[in-house]
Amino acid sequence: MRERRYLWPVREDALLVMNSHDRVRDLGDCTARGMPGMDACHHRSRRNACAHGELSGLHLKEDRQSPMLDPFGGHSDEATIVEIAARHAVARSVSGMDSERQYRDLLQNLPAAIYTTDAEGRITFFNRACIDFAGRTPKIGEMWCVTWKLYLPDGTPLPHDECPMAVALKENRPIRDAEAIAERPDGSRICFMPHPTPLRDECGRLTGAVNMLVDITARKLAEERMKLLTSEVDHRSNNLLAVVQAMLRLTKADTAEEFQAAFQGRLGALANVQRLFSASRWTGASLRVLVEEELRPYGIDDAKRVNISGEDIRLPAALAQGIAVAVHELATNAAKYGSLSTPSGRLEIRWNTGGVAPLVLHWSESGGPCVKEPTRTGFGVGAIDSVIRTLCGTITRHWRPEGLVCELSFPNVVA
């Protein structure tokens, strides 16, 4: 038999944490009535210890049929708390008015919404937390519930006489794992889990019920956010795979090494976007950070060589992905044939917002080799044009002798 820690009732008005090494003084007149898991020897030991004002050296047998609250790794949940409260309620009915008052004081100070009813379902007690929970002050004698209106999780109205508390009393059994929605008089709603438990006297007759209402609104919102995030990730993954397939199909090279280098660079551009979105929990990607990441291999720390300017904005996933591909291809072309291929070359990237188009990005090269308009359209040009069309944007190119000048215009920049 292994030793365990339990929360167990003392004087029917408190929950006492004990193990065999604890020493508890000044317990007063306490009884072992209603304590599962203790044999007659334990009862006598407890009474004797109380008579001397101390209690020590007790070992409680674990009772699988009567679980107690164990905050140190054992059985511990809201249902167990309600079961303990139910045992207190039964014990107080035998102990008299003092115990009744102490029991109510205990429940009043608990942060959870707890109330009791008689066997017919009339409310006999509710604590202060019930008022905050329900957004109203219930009345003693009201039937079944302290809440104003009830709904099932799918939004269907739930009559009070069909609520979990009513079912628990009518069927004389505890209700677990149910969920409901409570509407307050001001219109606000709370998702919660009720834990109604019937109360019975020493003869087993139904005398009422105790219920604890656990607010799970925050948990449900978190679950909803997780579902949306999962759906978003699934959508982005499918979109990303489609883009990768298109890049693989359209990438051309004379050798395997050139193909590998080109394809890896384009994958890197997409990976940067995914990393930025992951860091922002998929709320958007910073345009400035995106551009800086794509140009980092080309010396963006040298202001004389690369100049980036513009008010930072957050981009939605599709636009961020498209701009990343476009900037990567423009930078790769500049590093091979344009201003980034020589030490004297310069690159300026700037963008404007709030004009005729919500976002206009300017790419201007200078100081590099004399460039000419290409006679054939490579993957880079084709990829940029394809991205711009997909985003309903436009692009203009000017192949000036001193360097390429591009203007990319996008109609939708809402993240």
Side-chain angles (χ1 to χ4, degrees):
M1 183 180 301
R2 61 190 179 92
E3 178 184 318
R4 300 192 64 182
R5 290 187 173 192
Y6 293 92
L7 285 180
W8 50 292
V10 176
R11 288 170 27 200
E12 281 64 59
D13 67 342
L15 298 177
L16 175 66
V17 179
M18 292 198 61
N19 68 10
S20 60
H21 305 292
D22 292 330
R23 181 177 296 272
V24 183
R25 299 182 180 275
D26 301 324
L27 293 181
D29 180 21
C30 56
T31 69
R33 185 187 302 111
M35 289 186 59
M38 295 184 66
D39 56 22
C41 177
H42 291 141
H43 284 251
R44 288 193 298 272
S45 298
R46 185 170 179 234
R47 285 196 299 270
N48 292 337
C50 290
H52 292 85
E54 62 180 32
L55 185 61
S56 63
L58 284 184
H59 292 258
L60 302 186
K61 291 192 303 181
E62 180 179 355
D63 186 347
R64 296 292 184 183
Q65 302 302 317
S66 302
M68 299 294 285
L69 182 64
D70 179 3
F72 303 98
H75 183 79
S76 176
D77 56 19
E78 295 89 349
T80 305
I81 297 174
V82 177
E83 290 167 7
I84 293 173
R87 293 192 190 100
H88 276 265
V90 173
R92 92 195 196 287
S93 66
V94 181
S95 302
M97 294 302 296
D98 287 343
S99 182
E100 171 81 16
R101 183 173 59 256
Q102 293 164 353
Y103 170 76
R104 288 173 179 261
D105 290 342
L106 168 67
L107 295 187
Q108 282 291 3
N109 290 298
L110 290 177
I114 296 179
Y115 70 97
T116 61
T117 70
D118 61 17
E120 285 71 40
R122 290 184 291 267
I123 295 175
T124 56
F125 168 83
F126 57 88
N127 63 0
R128 284 183 289 270
C130 282
I131 299 175
D132 297 332
F133 180 93
R136 62 188 287 268
T137 301
K139 295 180 180 179
I140 299 299
E142 288 183 340
M143 295 297 294
W144 310 119
C145 304
V146 296
T147 51
W148 188 51
K149 291 182 179 180
L150 287 174
Y151 299 87
L152 295 173
D154 63 3
T156 304
L158 176 63
H160 281 84
D161 60 358
E162 298 177 13
C163 72
M165 180 60 122
V167 174
L169 284 168
K170 293 175 181 177
E171 300 183 4
N172 196 9
R173 65 181 179 89
I175 303 297
R176 299 292 182 261
D177 301 321
E179 294 184 6
I181 299 173
E183 182 176 317
R184 294 165 167 155
D186 64 3
S188 60
R189 292 189 174 188
I190 298 177
C191 298
F192 71 99
M193 291 186 70
H195 295 80
T197 301
L199 302 175
R200 304 180 184 91
D201 60 19
E202 292 180 333
C203 298
R205 292 187 296 266
L206 181 68
T207 61
V210 59
N211 197 2
M212 180 167 70
L213 311 177
V214 180
D215 186 349
I216 60 171
T217 304
R219 191 193 80 186
K220 301 299 286 187
L221 291 175
E223 291 175 353
E224 190 63 29
R225 286 194 296 269
M226 183 59 68
K227 289 180 182 178
L228 292 174
L229 180 59
T230 301
S231 177
E232 179 72 11
V233 170
D234 182 63
H235 171 72
R236 297 303 171 197
S237 298
N238 292 332
N239 178 265
L240 186 60
L241 287 174
V243 173
V244 171
Q245 288 176 335
M247 288 196 311
L248 180 62
R249 185 173 60 253
L250 296 175
T251 298
K252 307 296 181 182
D254 296 329
T255 65
E257 290 76 12
E258 290 179 358
F259 176 88
Q260 183 180 17
F263 192 68
Q264 283 183 339
R266 289 154 188 166
L267 279 180
L270 294 178
N272 282 338
V273 175
Q274 303 309 308
R275 181 175 56 80
L276 293 176
F277 270 94
S278 178
S280 70
R281 296 183 180 272
W282 298 91
T283 60
S286 162
L287 175 57
R288 174 173 290 277
V289 174
L290 187 152
V291 171
E292 289 176 349
E293 288 294 316
E294 293 301 325
L295 294 177
R296 192 169 301 283
Y298 307 105
I300 61 171
D301 295 331
D302 185 357
K304 295 181 179 180
R305 182 171 177 81
V306 179
N307 181 37
I308 302 173
S309 62
E311 180 183 356
D312 195 16
I313 59 174
R314 301 190 74 80
L315 303 174
L319 183 56
Q321 188 170 279
I323 290 180
V325 172
V327 171
H328 172 77
E329 295 302 329
L330 288 170
T332 301
N333 184 75
K336 288 182 178 180
Y337 315 109
S339 63
L340 297 181
S341 65
T342 62
S344 60
R346 298 192 64 226
L347 171 63
E348 180 184 7
I349 302 177
R350 57 184 174 84
W351 55 87
N352 304 321
T353 59
V356 177
L359 174 62
V360 179
L361 189 146
H362 302 270
W363 175 282
S364 180
E365 300 178 32
S366 62
C370 181
V371 298
K372 296 180 181 179
E373 184 173 355
T375 56
R376 66 182 182 89
T377 300
F379 172 79
V381 173
I384 296 174
D385 291 349
S386 177
V387 166
I388 301 303
R389 287 195 299 270
T390 300
L391 299 171
C392 301
T394 58
I395 181 171
T396 58
R397 294 183 180 88
H398 301 285
W399 301 93
R400 301 184 305 177
E402 62 271 22
L404 172 66
V405 175
C406 282
E407 184 177 279
L408 294 79
S409 177
F410 301 96
N412 186 8
V413 295
V414 178

